[in-house]
Structures are given as structure tokens and as C-alpha cells.
Amino acid sequence: MNLFKASLVALTCTVLMSCATQSTLNTGPRDASPYISQYQANLRSEVISDVSYELDFQLTGETEFTASTKVNFRLSEVPKELSLDLNKAQIKRFMINGTAVYPNYNGAYISLNSRLLSTGSNTVIVEYTRAHSTNGEGLHRFQDPIDGKVYLYSHFEPAAAQQMFAVFDQPDIKAHYQISVTAPKDWQVISTMRETSIKAVGASNRWEFPQTPKLSPYNFSMHAGPYQVWQDNSGRYPMRLFARQSVAHQVPPEDWFTYTKQGLTFFDNYFGIPYPFKKYDQILVPDFLYGAMENAAAVTFSEDRFLHQAAMTAEQRQRLAGVIMHEMAHQWFGDLVTMKWWNGLWLNESFASFMGTLATQEATEFTQAWRNFYASGKQKAYEQDSLVTTHPIEVPVATSQNAFDNIDAITYQKGASTLKQLRHLLGDVVFRRGVSHYLKQYSYQNAELDDFINSLAKASGRDLSAWTQEWLYSAGVNTIKAEYRCEGNRITEFSLLQLPASADLPTLREQKVNVALFTKGRYELRNDVTLPVTYQGERTEVKQFIGERCPDLVYPNFDDWGYVKVELDDKSFDTAKQHLSNVSDPLLRSMLWQSLWDGVRDGKLSLDQYLSAVFVNAPAESDYTIVGQIISSLLRSKEYLAQIAPMQQNYANNAIKGLAQMSLRKTMESRGEHDLQHRWFNAYIRLAADRDSLRHLAQLLDGTSKIKGLTLDQDLRWAIITQLNRYDAPNALQRLTKEAAKDKSDSGIKAALAAEVIRPEAAAKRRWLSRVHTDSLPFAKQRIIMESLYPAEQKLQSAATAEERLANLREMDQKGPVFMRSYSQHLIPTDCNYTSIAALDKVLDSQTGLSNLARRALLETRQAEQRCVLIKNTMGH
């Protein structure tokens, strides 16, 4: 899965999970919830084997579906307690080994009567009805507001298959699935296998599918509805693409099929194992919780992220290619070979992130994919890994409810970066050989981290136990810094210093980096020498540099081999500030921009000094990836400036206006470069906050003003309308109402909702917040409300409900992890001052019953507030 665990040995406890939590896994009977502990899952998998499911679904498009599950399995012994998961169903008939009995069912799982079970073969049959899900899990139902057509899709990760059928819902009980579906005649039905027959049965069609290979429950899927279908059989494997009929005009199938074919060829060759399934289907679906999901041979993608009103920009095409590659890598690493328990989920996601980027770089036109990874994903990992809630890559997962507690940039991007530097350490050929051996040895089975590491160790002939301990079981990101002396313009001493993440996280690591020295030339910084260095410990001397010309800039992680933060020495930092536009190497330029932004976040460079560097250097930047990186920092700067006001009100207003004007100027100058122009114009919309910029946006919307080379598609129109309403520009609400009357699509309804919620009206904010608190809307709309309710500059509106939101936190936490992830990210109050920090302290001290996920969010919000106060205090210094 695309969006953000150690073995159960004693490890240093992080703030996320106390030692008590780590060592007291539930060993008693299940607690009547739909979640299962690792201990209970282990007990179940120890006695169960040879599982197969025969699934039959009656689908009508109404709010409920009817189904039956026949589970065949073997028991090595009859346990005292054995449960079969099935969530919120109405059971109509229940049989164990041919005997009809009344089910011992609590709404979450069925407790099987051990007296009716036997050693050896067993069969359980459950016939039931169930409401379709509406929160993106289980068998989700969506009705298209344009034409009224109903679409279904399944999503099971981490443990939501039980919301669709009776199942032993844990990854290490792999099974064969055979599915039959009765559905309306105009529907498509998509699953892991291609159907063997479609027969008319009255007003419906009966779809029969062959048995699947062995899969974990979360990798199986079924999707149904009147989907538009495109096919391409020009490659080694038949490919199909599906989307709702009303959005089919927004789908460029040629792009999807091109990247898919490129990926399948690349992975077949890289892994040395043919694609393990018989066809490759991809389905665009609405209301999706994440970016995409690696269901075996039937991958789902979020419409919100991959449907566009106009031709895709380079950024959008690269994102599509990258996510296709990520999910495709999972077909081998995740579906073919699957982790035994959810503590191994990080390896699935890290590996797919690493391989997805590698495939994008080497198999598509996006040859700068690793640069893009550095500028976006890797920075998220560094940021996450620098928080008080940092955690090892591998940590325990007590129950299936906790599976996603630590799914974050450490899981995805730090893990991917770690694998990338391990590949540099071992060499590409050795790394590839170890991966191939692992996939061949554990095909259609479950495996653990040690199995993967042992495969790489065997291929390399190297003991990787120390590496594993340093990188996978120890939290935090280290920092490296060059320390050197010069005499007579020549280097006399040179060392790399390695700093621990903190006093509480003292681990120092070994890795291989590229160290580069630069001197100032007339027009550019010259790269005098580059040297690969394997460093470890506090200090590593690099004697090879002695005698080289004294550099003006040293960059100790050139080419981004290592996972490590770089602290520039004072001379290099000054050079970076003054000569950014003279750096010809785009990756180095990207890294130096990042060093300046890191200086702001660490309190070493004031925000106003950073923005001064932006106004001087950003207009000269033409690299698409770096422009995106700069814009990202400008949007963050705008948030800080909004929070810093009114203390620096005049400066904040003038700076934001200056950024908007710069973005507009770059938009106009880039008219011959569609992608760059589009990127700068999007920035202009989001930076526009002053009266003149907002008036200009309104004129563009009305057509009374134009920008050469730019056409406003529906996505851009909604972005402008949202911004106008955010600042309550003249006639903004009327524009919203008029646009909503024209665009009645699902995306239009959601955009109109966001634009209405973001308006700075205190009474309306309270009403919207009440709708979030009372569950009166589908989750897809609740999520939009949460994201839009309190932008940074609406401090008074946020403060008006801050106390209520903190008081309701525990009640909101009870709604479960899917809800809480959005709530905690957007609705924990912030105000960039010590009073706000104290309020968060009070909640952390008093509300002891919060989930790990909620406490983590509070801790991270408090740290973000502390950072904001630091940035505010350094302004003007």
C-alpha cells in the first residue's frame, strides 16, 4: 500500500509505546472486538492449515449484499477456543462439519464449537447479509451523483476482509479463494483471477471464477459495478483498466498501459521470476482511503489522486508511473511473499517504495525519479525521524488494531532509503541476487525480517546482524558534518563527524557516502574531487583529501547515497546562501536548498533570511523538481507567517504578497513550458492572500483577465474558488454556488464542500465541527471537512472551538483508527505560542486512556508548536 516494529525481544521503549504495552500482549480470550492480538493470531495459525474459501455473493446495488462463505481447513489439534472473523453481519444459516447450529456470534467473530471440530479436515458454512461499508473498508458502496449508477470495490488492509466474508483474518493464514458472483447484467466483476464463465440468470449475470493461488486475506479482492473497461493485450500479460463511466473521459489509458508494460518487463527481469498472476487489472475507485492498494492482480487506485480534468502535467504523470511501479513491486514482495504479522508491514512498503522508484528511474522517461524521491519523500522521512515520536523501522504490533500505528514516512521513505544505501554497501548485483533468492525460496509463503536479511547475507557473504541492529532496530536519523583545516589553500586535515540523533538515541551507524569538494569559479561552483567514503563511529579521517585545494563548499552526501542529515560547515553554508544559482548539478542544488530550509526549521537561519534567499535565487531556477521543492517550502513558510502574525503582521503580509507576485511573474514567464507554468500557477493560487492577488484570481475566473498559455480547467477553477472563499473575497460565496450548480460530479461536490467549509465564518465552523463530532456525514465528506476547517490564518475561528476539540479527543478516539488519523492530523488545536503548548501538555497528562495513535498525534503537534515558537522567536535575528 502507497500512503505513513521490532521482534518481541526487549528493546528500548519509544514514546509511542510503553514497555508495559510492548510486553503485555493479550494472551487471554478475545475481547469481543474485531481485532486480534499477535499472540492469539499465532495460536490460531499454529493449528490451522490448508485453508480454502468458497465465496458466493449476491449483489444488487442496494445498500446490503447477501453472501455465503464455505471455509475448508485442517486442524493439527482441536483448540479450546477458535474464532472465525465476520464483522457486523446478519447470519441466516451456520453449519460446522454438516451440523446446523446457532452461531456463538458477537458481531465481530464467531466462536466455533470445539466439540463439532475434529483433527484433520473441517468445513464451516456461513450464510449472511451485511450492509455495504461506506468508510472505504470492506466492500465499499458508492453511488455516482451524476447518473445514479452504483459501484463497489473491496479494501481489506490491514484486517477488513471480515467486513465482507467470514475469514481467518490474519496475514499468515494464506488460502485459496474461489468466488462466484451474481450481479446486474450491465456490471463488470473483477477479482484476482479472470472469470471462467458469465451466464445469464434472470435479470442478472452469474460470474464464476477459478481458484486463486495462495494469498493472505488482505491481498484478495473483488470489485463490481458498471465500470468502463479498456484492454491492452500487446504485452506478455493481458492488462485491463477500469473506471466509473461518468469519469471515463478523464482517463488516459495509453499512459496507464505504457507504464504498466514497462514495469512488468522491468520487474520480470530484475527479480528473475515471472509475474506471479495471470493478468494485470487496475481499477480507479472513489472515496479511497489511500493512494492505491496492491490487491493481487486487481490493483485499486484513488480517483482523487489520479483523475484530472486536463492533460496530465509531468508531475502528475510521474506520480502515476511511480505508484503503478510501487503497487506492482508488491505483487512479488507482499503478495507472492507476505509478512507473517503486521510488524513486517514496513518491509513490504519500504521495499515497494525503493523498487518503485528504481523502476520509475530505469524503465520510464522519468530519469530524475531519485532526485524527486530526495526532494519529497526522503525529506518527510528525515522530518518524521527527527520527531519525539520517532521509532525503529521494525517495532512490535500488539494487535491488528495497531497495524497502522507506525505506518508513516519512516515505514515508507526511511525504509526505502535504508535499502538504497544497503544496495550501495553490498553492490547492485549482490543485492539483486539476494532479493531474487528470497522471493524464490518463500514464494506463496509467509516470511519474516530475518529471512530477508539472511538471503542478502548469504548472497554477500557478509554478516549483516550489526547492520540490522543499527538500522532497523534503532530509531532516529544521524547527522554528518565535514571538519577540515587548510594551510596555504591546501587541506591539511579532513574528517567526517557523525552526530547521534539525540542523547536518548545514541546509535552511530556505518554507511557509504560520496563526499564532494567544490571551489568557486567565475560562473559556477567547480567540483574538484569526489570520493566514496565508508564511515562509522564519531569520527572518520579521510586522508585522501589531504593536499587537495581548500574548498569553498563541502557536501558529504553527494549523489544522496546515504540516509543521513547533512550539517554544512559555516563556510559551506555561506557559499550555499550566496551562490545557489551557480551550482550546475541539479541534485546538489536541491540538497543545498534543503540545507537552507533545514536551517529555518532548526532555528539556525531566520525565516526572513531564508525568504530573502528565495527572492534572489528562486526566479533563476528552471529545474522542474527543484521548483516543486522550493514551492513546498514557500507554502510552509506562508503557514508559519500566518501563525506568527500579528507580532510581525506587516512583514508577514508583505512577504506573502511578494511570494504571490513572484509566483505570478514566473507563471507568465513560463508560458512556453506547460508543466513549469502549471506548477507556478498552482503556487500562485495557494499563495494569493492579499486583495490585489485575490481580485486578479477572480478576474481570471471571469475571463476578464488572461495569462498567455494557461487554460483554466475545472480543477483550477475549483482551486481558485476555494482560495477566494478562504479569504472571503467579494462575491466568493456566490461564485461557489454558481460553480456547484454547473459541476455536479463527485469531485465537484467534494470541491464545493471544501470551499464552503474553509470560509472564515465562526458560526458555520461550529456547525461543521458538530457534523464531524456526531457522525452525520459519510466519512469521505467528514475527511474533507476536517482537512478544510481551520487553515493556519484562521486563528480566532480555531481558538473558538479549541477547548471543545481537546475535550472531545477521547470520544473521537473511540471512532477507530481510520477516523482518528484524519481527526488528529487536522483538528488538534495549534496557535504557535506557549499557551497552546501548555494546553497540549495538560491533555497528555490527564487523558491517559487515549490510543497510541492519538497520543502520538498529540506529541507531534506539541513538537510542531515548539518549532513554530522557535521560528517566530528567530524572526529578524
Side-chain angles (χ1 to χ4, degrees), residues 62-122:
E62 299 301 320
T63 57
E64 286 191 342
F65 63 92
T66 300
S68 70
T69 300
K70 182 178 181 181
V71 193
N72 302 299
F73 58 95
R74 293 185 64 82
L75 290 175
S76 58
E77 60 180 280
V78 178
K80 292 181 180 179
E81 296 178 3
L82 184 63
S83 57
L84 182 67
D85 305 305
L86 180 63
N87 186 268
K88 295 181 181 177
Q90 299 294 319
I91 297 177
K92 305 299 183 184
R93 183 167 173 259
F94 180 66
M95 298 182 71
I96 299 179
N97 289 331
T99 300
V101 293
Y102 188 82
N104 182 3
Y105 179 54
N106 62 7
Y109 53 84
I110 305 165
S111 295
L112 301 180
N113 188 330
S114 59
R115 289 174 296 179
L116 296 176
L117 298 172
S118 60
T119 302
S121 299
N122 292 268

Side-chain angles (χ1 to χ4, degrees), residues 492-541:
T492 57
E493 298 176 23
F494 194 104
S495 296
L496 282 183
L497 306 184
Q498 181 179 192
L499 308 175
S502 67
D504 296 329
L505 299 169
T507 300
L508 297 177
R509 299 173 169 90
E510 175 192 2
Q511 65 176 326
K512 190 176 185 179
V513 293
N514 229 357
V515 183
L517 311 183
F518 297 84
T519 54
K520 288 184 284 191
R522 186 172 180 182
Y523 300 110
E524 66 175 7
L525 281 177
R526 292 194 304 267
N527 181 195
D528 291 337
V529 61
T530 301
L531 181 71
V533 176
T534 299
Y535 70 85
Q536 56 187 327
E538 294 181 6
R539 178 185 294 269
T540 301
E541 287 190 47

Side-chain angles (χ1 to χ4, degrees), residues 125-306:
I125 296 174
V126 191
E127 297 177 4
Y128 57 97
T129 60
R130 193 195 190 277
H132 285 287
S133 301
T134 57
N135 70 342
E137 293 188 309
L139 187 56
H140 181 90
R141 178 183 183 271
F142 175 87
Q143 187 163 17
D144 195 322
I146 293 289
D147 54 23
K149 295 181 185 296
V150 171
Y151 296 85
L152 312 177
Y153 64 85
S154 70
H155 180 81
F156 296 153
E157 191 178 29
Q162 59 191 277
Q163 296 183 36
M164 188 170 131
F165 58 95
V167 57
F168 299 116
D169 207 352
Q170 59 190 75
D172 62 340
I173 300 185
K174 284 198 167 188
H176 298 285
Y177 300 81
Q178 189 163 5
I179 187 170
S180 303
V181 180
T182 303
K185 284 196 172 177
D186 62 337
W187 281 25
Q188 299 283 336
V189 180
I190 308 125
S191 190
T192 303
M193 309 295 286
R194 282 292 291 267
E195 69 278 1
T196 51
S197 68
I198 309 171
K199 296 179 181 177
V201 180
S204 302
N205 278 339
R206 178 77 169 166
W207 295 66
E208 299 287 351
F209 294 83
Q211 190 179 73
T212 70
K214 287 178 70 174
L215 295 171
S216 293
Y218 82 94
N219 295 140
F220 177 69
S221 68
M222 188 273 286
H223 324 285
Y227 287 99
Q228 173 79 36
V229 57
W230 297 267
Q231 299 189 58
D232 186 325
N233 295 319
S234 61
R236 183 183 297 182
Y237 311 102
M239 300 176 292
R240 296 186 299 179
L241 178 64
F242 299 84
R244 287 187 293 129
Q245 293 182 28
S246 67
V247 299
H249 64 283
Q250 297 179 46
V251 178
E254 61 282 355
D255 288 332
W256 285 78
F257 289 138
T258 294
Y259 300 139
T260 304
K261 274 192 289 188
Q262 289 171 336
L264 287 168
T265 299
F266 175 83
F267 287 122
D268 268 6
N269 293 334
Y270 189 94
F271 295 137
I273 301 172
Y275 169 64
F277 306 105
K278 295 183 181 298
K279 49 87 176 175
Y280 205 89
D281 290 342
Q282 297 172 110
I283 309 100
L284 279 153
V285 298
D287 293 349
F288 204 57
L289 291 173
Y290 311 104
M293 177 62 204
E294 67 267 19
N295 314 304
V299 181
T300 40
F301 292 79
S302 170
E303 284 183 355
D304 292 344
R305 303 192 194 190
F306 301 103

